[in-house]
Amino acid sequence: QKNKAYYKRFQVKPRRRREGKTDYKARLNMLRQDKNKYATPKHRMAVRTTGSQIICQISRPTIQGDIIECMASSAELPLFGCRVGLKNYAAAYCTGLLLARRMLKSLGMDKTYKGVEG
């Protein structure tokens, strides 16, 4: 039997842990950076599939929370001439490519790494 003293000292888990959305141990291991790299951010790419589209993001962790550096969605593909399906394999590839080009442009490296022009 759990008595009143037990519930007085009981500490609830963080909200995202209770919801089963975040495994904080795995997240910490993924984001941990080597000490010899000092304060260099460790970027990661997240791909999310919704019911109708694919969303790709490049983010970096901070103490206050993650900062999204760059984002691309398959809903933007019709603007570039891709008119069929926003959730298939080809759309996922094109969305990742769009994200990579945007990230290169934001870093000022798009002139160095030219895409295939045809």
Side-chain angles (χ1 to χ4, degrees):
Q1 277 290 1
K2 293 182 171 104
N3 57 14
K4 191 173 181 182
Y6 172 84
Y7 289 107
K8 275 185 167 180
R9 292 170 147 315
F10 184 77
Q11 184 175 8
V12 295
K13 302 281 185 204
R15 178 181 55 86
R16 291 186 63 86
R17 167 68 182 88
R18 289 193 314 260
E19 293 171 354
K21 289 184 177 179
T22 304
D23 180 355
Y24 284 101
K25 185 176 181 182
R27 177 182 161 78
L28 190 67
N29 288 334
M30 179 176 62
L31 301 178
R32 189 173 286 135
Q33 182 68 287
D34 295 334
K35 296 295 180 198
N36 64 352
K37 294 181 181 164
Y38 302 101
T40 307
K42 192 170 185 180
H43 292 85
R44 72 179 194 278
M45 180 177 166
V47 180
R48 296 180 174 89
T49 57
T50 67
S52 59
Q53 64 181 344
I54 295 172
I55 300 167
C56 298
Q57 296 174 327
I58 294 180
S59 62
R60 65 181 167 88
T62 62
I63 304 259
Q64 291 80 22
D66 290 3
I67 294 176
I68 305 298
E69 298 278 327
C70 192
M71 182 239 173
S73 169
S74 62
E76 304 166 42
L77 294 179
L79 301 173
F80 297 96
C82 183
R83 306 221 183 284
V84 289
L86 300 179
K87 206 180 165 197
N88 56 21
Y89 190 84
Y93 179 85
C94 292
T95 307
L97 192 62
L98 177 61
L99 177 71
R101 296 308 305 173
R102 280 191 183 156
M103 190 67 190
L104 284 172
K105 189 170 187 176
S106 71
L107 295 173
M109 298 170 68
D110 56 335
K111 303 283 190 274
T112 310
Y113 299 99
K114 294 241 185 239
V116 177
E117 297 173 6

